């Protein structure tokens, strides 16, 4: 993380990005507890043709300090359990594929 990493990522082009998240909530989207990591994730999303977020079910409904992506910026979520309630509907409305793995 930091300015050197940000400069490097900003100059790259990715076919696919696989990112982790500390939480995903209706109000804040995808979030991270570290602002420097969140900045790198924002850059990776901007430079990627396809964005995949990998998370376990305990992250559904959680929010952390810094939001790094809205639902519409993510193509696929890879998780072990389907989200429940409103969150499931928001993913569907945003066109986010949910892959169980």
């Amino acid at each position: 993380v930091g300015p050197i990493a940000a400069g490097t990522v900003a100059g790259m082009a990715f076919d696919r990005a696989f990112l982790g998240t500390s939480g995903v909530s209706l109000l804040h989207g995808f979030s991270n507890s570290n602002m420097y990591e969140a900045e790198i994730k924002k850059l990776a999303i901007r430079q990627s043709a396809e964005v995949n977020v990998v998370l376990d079910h305990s992250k559904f409904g959680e929010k952390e300090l810094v939001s790094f992506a809205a639902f519409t910026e993510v193509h696929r979520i890879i998780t072990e359990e389907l989200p429940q309630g409103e969150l499931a509907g928001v993913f569907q409305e945003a066109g986010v594929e949910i892959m169980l793995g």
Side-chain angles (χ1 to χ4, degrees), residues 2-74:
I4 293 172
T8 301
V9 172
M12 297 179 149
F14 304 111
D15 292 329
R16 288 183 190 93
F18 291 85
L19 306 170
T21 188
S22 300
V24 58
S25 70
L26 293 172
L27 186 57
H28 298 286
F30 297 89
S31 59
N32 195 290
S33 58
N34 183 301
M35 71 176 72
Y36 299 112
E37 287 179 20
E39 184 62 29
I40 296 297
K41 290 176 183 186
K42 287 179 186 180
L43 289 169
I45 289 168
R46 190 169 58 216
Q47 300 301 108
S48 297
E50 178 184 291
V51 177
N52 299 274
V53 176
V54 182
L55 67 141
D56 68 82
H57 76 280
S58 70
K59 306 302 189 290
F60 292 130
E62 298 296 317
K63 68 175 177 58
E64 293 296 333
L65 180 64
V66 183
S67 296
F68 66 85
F71 296 106
T72 56
E73 295 177 289
V74 172

Side-chain angles (χ1 to χ4, degrees), residues 26 60-61 82-93 98:
L26 293 172
F60 292 130
L82 293 174
Q84 303 298 314
E86 279 187 273
L87 203 51
V90 170
F91 288 137
Q92 185 175 17
E93 287 175 22
I98 299 176

